[in-house]
Amino acid sequence: MANTQLFQSFRGRFLAPANASNESRAPAYALTPRHQLAQLAATGALNQTFYADAAEQLDLVKTLCETVDAEFVAKTAVYARQAANMKDMPVLLAALLATRDVSLLAQVFGRVVDNGKTLRGFVQMLRSGTLGRKSMGTRPKKLVQQWLLSANERQLLNASVGNAPSLADVVKMVHPKPTEAWRAAWFAWLIGKPFDEAALPPITQAFERFKRSLASGEACELPDVPFQMLTALELNASQWAQIANAGSWQMVRQNLNTFARHGVFAIEGMDAVVAAKLRDARAIARARVLPYQLLAAYKATGDAVPTLVRDALQDAMEVAMANVPEFAGRVVVCPDVSGSMSSAVTGQRGSATSSLRCIDVAALVAAAVLRKNPQARVLPFEVDVVKLALNARDSVMTNAQALASIGGGGTNCSAPLAKLNKERAEVDLVILVSDNESWVDATRRGATQTMREWEAIKNRCPKARLVCIDIQPYATTQAAERQDIMNIGGFSDAVFATVARFAEGKAGRAGAEYWVNEIDAISLAQQ
């Protein structure tokens, strides 16, 4: 008689067997090369993660770029910079285009290399030898020259902040030939050559006057330069308060501890001034702030930062979450709180490593969904589902911190689905937020346990949809891409809108196609 365990009857559609192994050596489904590149572009930070080091990520990106067509690489670079707000990854893709298709590079250069930091990164990557060359090449060199010769004074000043290489190094490499007197004087000033101060543009002139006034002890107006240019100077608390008052929303958000250290909040009323800036809805929208950046700022603020300012960060989070949609039907959100989620969300970068962990981002997604969908269920999981009572009326920050405080244990992505099946729960939308490195539920053959549990849900709830948000840049998933399953890499405000369209059945023929088609739809025409 045949083995009934091997040949037991199966209800529902045939499930494709796992065709890959994840970083934990457990069964998984490989994403297509295009989807892998899209996922890496939206999540990869070229730093060490829990399972992969930076060199492995770089090698994978290079391999994928050789596998897919150059036009898709170019479009992915634009998507990663403009939609996903990534920094290093889109520049890497642009640098790879420089070795493969310079005409495509020229089409996307201005949309990817859009500030001084990305310009310096582009030059660094090309000249490192890591991408197969140490010279810039004629066309890339001209593109860098064009940026230098078209940037305004403020853009150049912002670009002058930072090293390895510095903007001065870049100017010496590419030898731009300015036609304007102010630009010629500014480049000479930058690289330490003799210059005519009267020919310098106004902000740089003001900076030179300010340095002389400090040296002589005279009073002088604070110049409107990037604040990093002032940090090496001996400024008093009042001058630091001027910096805080005039600074951009993002700059203030990033330097609350610095302001506290320099006595800004000891000045009467400055806590209210900074708090008002942080709460400004228009400023938040202009800054394109990501919700997890607000969580990072909140977690990083020290005791010297006033409560009023810390509360303003919570208010800013509520503003930033205003575009989180209400999902129709019965919603379940499942944040992964296992041990691997304790790694930094942007990878290990030495002293620059973010204090924000993958578990913080997963918790933030869950808390945001709960805030706008009070009837939603939240099922945090590791080896099994973790019991945790959350109040939908609490702030996003409060619930996110409660979820993120769990942490630990192995990864079992099928656990929340198994619980739903055990309860025979009716669901319409399930959102799984994880690094997808499930191993506790590893199967010996056939489909992953996540797919098995999801299929059982589908038999009971035919219209249900599953969204898997991958926080870390790996190349596999526990849920194979198909009509009712969408795999998304990374997290930004745009993720919520994407999930809403998919939940409503407006994401095209299939979730997987939608994800890649978002990139395919990008026009490479000059803008």
Side-chain angles (χ1 to χ4, degrees):
M1 184 176 178
N3 187 321
T4 56
Q5 294 301 312
L6 288 176
F7 299 101
Q8 58 183 310
S9 297
F10 178 75
R11 294 179 58 195
R13 80 190 85 186
F14 174 74
L15 295 179
N19 59 5
S21 296
N22 61 20
E23 300 294 331
S24 295
R25 301 180 184 274
Y29 297 96
L31 301 172
T32 66
R34 282 178 147 215
H35 199 141
Q36 286 186 48
L37 183 60
Q39 190 118 308
L40 281 162
T43 63
L46 296 178
N47 298 302
Q48 181 177 339
T49 63
F50 189 87
Y51 290 103
D53 62 30
E56 290 173 338
Q57 291 187 54
L58 175 60
D59 289 342
L60 179 56
V61 172
K62 290 163 62 177
T63 299
L64 290 170
C65 285
E66 293 169 0
T67 303
V68 307
D69 59 280
E71 184 174 327
F72 188 77
V73 175
K75 290 181 176 183
T76 303
V78 173
Y79 178 88
R81 182 68 187 135
Q82 296 187 337
N85 295 314
M86 298 298 287
K87 298 174 184 176
D88 294 340
M89 192 63 71
V91 175
L92 170 61
L93 297 180
L96 287 168
L97 282 174
T99 66
R100 182 174 177 183
D101 192 324
V102 290
S103 62
L104 278 174
L105 169 65
Q107 286 183 273
V108 303
F109 186 84
R111 297 160 71 181
V112 175
V113 181
D114 57 2
N115 60 32
K117 185 174 183 178
T118 52
L119 181 83
R120 292 187 289 103
F122 178 79
V123 173
Q124 177 191 12
M125 291 179 187
L126 271 188
R127 288 182 56 86
S128 68
T130 304
L131 305 183
R133 62 191 297 175
K134 287 194 173 181
S135 63
M136 291 190 62
T138 302
R139 191 68 176 277
K141 182 177 178 180
K142 287 183 177 179
L143 290 170
V144 174
Q145 289 173 337
Q146 181 181 343
W147 192 97
L148 291 168
L149 294 174
S150 61
N152 60 37
E153 181 191 11
R154 188 169 298 281
Q155 289 171 321
L156 290 170
L157 285 169
N158 286 330
S160 69
V161 175
N163 296 295
S166 67
L167 188 66
D169 294 331
V170 174
V171 169
K172 292 174 184 176
M173 289 178 202
V174 302
H175 305 292
K177 295 179 171 49
T179 57
E180 306 115 313
W182 76 263
R183 200 180 297 271
W186 195 90
F187 286 150
W189 170 83
L190 177 71
I191 63 178
K193 287 189 174 182
F195 61 90
D196 178 6
E197 185 171 330
L200 287 173
I203 302 176
T204 309
Q205 281 193 38
F207 179 60
E208 288 298 306
R209 289 196 300 270
F210 181 74
K211 288 192 295 183
R212 285 197 299 271
S213 71
L214 279 182
S216 63
E218 299 175 2
C220 185
E221 183 180 355
L222 201 69
D224 186 20
V225 296
F227 88 98
Q228 295 93 332
M229 295 175 64
L230 302 171
T231 54
L233 306 177
E234 293 295 327
L235 305 181
N236 58 38
S238 177
Q239 290 166 328
W240 273 102
Q242 290 181 55
I243 293 174
N245 198 31
S248 69
W249 191 94
Q250 285 282 30
M251 187 276 275
V252 171
R253 188 266 303 177
Q254 293 171 330
N255 290 279
L256 296 175
N257 289 329
T258 301
F259 295 146
R261 190 166 58 251
H262 289 282
V264 169
F265 298 123
I267 299 174
E268 185 177 357
M270 275 308 298
D271 56 347
V273 169
V274 172
K277 183 186 287 283
L278 292 174
R279 290 192 184 100
D280 188 332
R282 291 184 179 180
I284 292 169
R286 285 195 302 270
R288 295 192 301 174
V289 59
L290 301 178
Y292 74 78
Q293 292 174 323
L294 285 163
L295 181 60
Y298 185 80
K299 287 171 63 69
T301 52
D303 294 337
V305 176
T307 300
L308 183 64
V309 175
R310 289 173 56 84
D311 288 345
L313 287 172
Q314 294 205 55
D315 295 337
M317 175 70 81
E318 299 296 327
V319 174
M321 286 296 178
N323 64 344
V324 178
E326 294 182 19
F327 302 118
R330 295 150 296 197
V331 180
V332 182
V333 57
C334 312
D336 182 350
V337 296
S338 64
S340 62
M341 296 288 284
S342 63
S343 62
V345 70
T346 54
Q348 296 297 321
R349 298 184 295 172
S351 60
T353 298
S354 170
S355 62
L356 202 65
R357 305 161 298 162
C358 294
I359 192 174
D360 296 316
V361 176
L364 180 58
V365 174
V369 171
L370 180 64
R371 181 62 180 229
K372 295 301 289 285
N373 302 267
Q375 303 306 314
R377 294 185 66 183
V378 178
L379 299 179
F381 69 92
E382 27 130 310
V383 172
D384 205 343
V385 172
V386 179
K387 291 183 179 180
L388 180 68
L390 296 176
N391 185 344
R393 293 189 177 185
D394 283 343
S395 71
V396 171
M397 207 80 82
T398 299
N399 279 333
Q401 289 193 307
L403 282 163
S405 66
I406 305 172
T411 308
N412 182 359
C413 288
S414 65
L417 305 182
K419 179 176 177 60
L420 293 172
N421 282 325
K422 184 177 180 180
E423 298 173 351
R424 297 197 59 78
E426 297 291 322
V427 299
D428 296 295
L429 175 66
V430 177
I431 303 172
L432 191 75
V433 193
S434 174
D435 59 10
N436 270 327
E437 299 306 311
S438 193
W439 60 269
V440 173
D441 57 350
T443 56
R444 294 182 59 185
R445 59 177 65 84
T448 63
Q449 192 60 29
T450 297
M451 282 300 293
R452 295 171 191 266
E453 297 290 353
W454 178 246
E455 191 59 24
I457 289 176
K458 287 291 290 184
N459 288 335
R460 187 172 63 256
C461 311
K463 294 183 179 180
R465 291 175 179 263
L466 173 64
V467 175
C468 300
I469 301 176
D470 191 345
I471 299 298
Q472 289 279 278
Y474 303 120
T476 62
T477 178
Q478 289 296 296
E481 303 167 8
R482 67 184 198 190
Q483 183 79 23
D484 57 322
I485 299 173
M486 173 182 278
N487 285 284
I488 298 177
F491 171 61
S492 70
D493 282 344
V495 167
F496 291 118
T498 301
V499 173
R501 288 194 295 270
F502 178 64
E504 295 170 3
K506 298 178 180 178
R509 288 177 294 169
E513 289 179 357
Y514 174 83
W515 169 240
V516 174
N517 284 348
E518 284 284 282
I519 293 174
D520 265 335
I522 291 173
S523 171
L524 294 182
Q526 296 288 349
Q527 295 188 355

